[in-house]
Amino acid sequence: MDKNLMQQLFATDNNLTGFVLRVTLGLVLFPHAAQKMFGWFGGPGLSGEMTHMTEHAGLPYLVAVLAILVECLGMVLLVTGTATRISAVAIFGLFLGMIVFIHWKDGFFMNWFGKMPAGAEGFEYHLLVLGMCIAIFIQGGGRWSVDRLWN
């Protein structure tokens, strides 16, 4: 890979904005990733999530595996500030896919008042994640990121 491109991907300064954005998003994603991978917080665990994604959501097996990996690994990379921009792009793609293929049909709003069927949620949360990913991509990992060590 071009050295200049690598420098641009990992470049960041000592700002708090990048730190706050990436750690907040990473910590919000953590319980969701833990539900999928380990069954924590009442989640289905890896086998249950794979069944849900392939049989109920209709995703191909490879896409389901990649989605789980992006969410789980991306969360860790964001919290540590490692390959922050790459992680933000991957999570952006994941959540854009969630909107287009799963949540679009349920409308904008989350199921705050339980008026939709169980499991049906709108895409408002997903839009917030997309916005945070864009800001993280622009800003970089910021203070206390592994990316700063590579500059």
Side-chain angles (χ1 to χ4, degrees):
M1 186 177 271
D2 181 55
K3 186 175 181 177
N4 189 35
L5 177 61
M6 289 295 291
Q7 287 175 330
Q8 290 175 346
L9 277 175
F10 294 99
T12 190
D13 56 22
N14 199 29
N15 69 73
L16 279 172
T17 304
F19 168 76
V20 169
L21 283 167
R22 70 178 169 78
V23 170
T24 300
L25 182 55
L27 291 177
V28 167
L29 291 177
F30 170 74
H32 297 281
Q35 286 179 316
K36 290 173 178 65
M37 286 297 288
F38 308 116
W40 298 355
F41 308 109
L46 186 56
S47 64
E49 186 65 20
M50 285 299 297
T51 298
H52 172 75
M53 293 178 91
T54 56
E55 294 179 13
H56 298 107
L59 296 174
Y61 185 84
L62 181 60
V63 172
V65 168
L66 289 174
I68 293 169
L69 281 175
V70 165
E71 187 169 353
C72 296
L73 184 59
M75 173 272 303
V76 171
L77 294 175
L78 282 178
V79 170
T80 62
T82 307
T84 306
R85 285 187 171 90
I86 296 167
S87 302
V89 167
I91 292 168
F92 183 94
L94 173 65
F95 276 75
L96 185 61
M98 287 178 186
I99 290 172
V100 170
F101 294 105
I102 310 250
H103 296 283
W104 185 263
K105 68 180 179 359
D106 295 321
F108 178 76
F109 294 103
M110 300 296 291
N111 193 9
W112 294 109
F113 304 107
K115 293 184 179 181
M116 290 188 275
E121 297 286 350
F123 55 86
E124 65 180 316
Y125 161 75
H126 303 79
L127 288 178
L128 292 172
V129 171
L130 294 181
M132 290 179 79
C133 286
I134 291 168
I136 291 167
F137 184 82
I138 292 167
Q139 189 68 50
R143 190 172 295 175
W144 301 302
S145 66
V146 172
D147 289 350
R148 281 186 44 84
L149 300 175
W150 294 344
N151 289 317

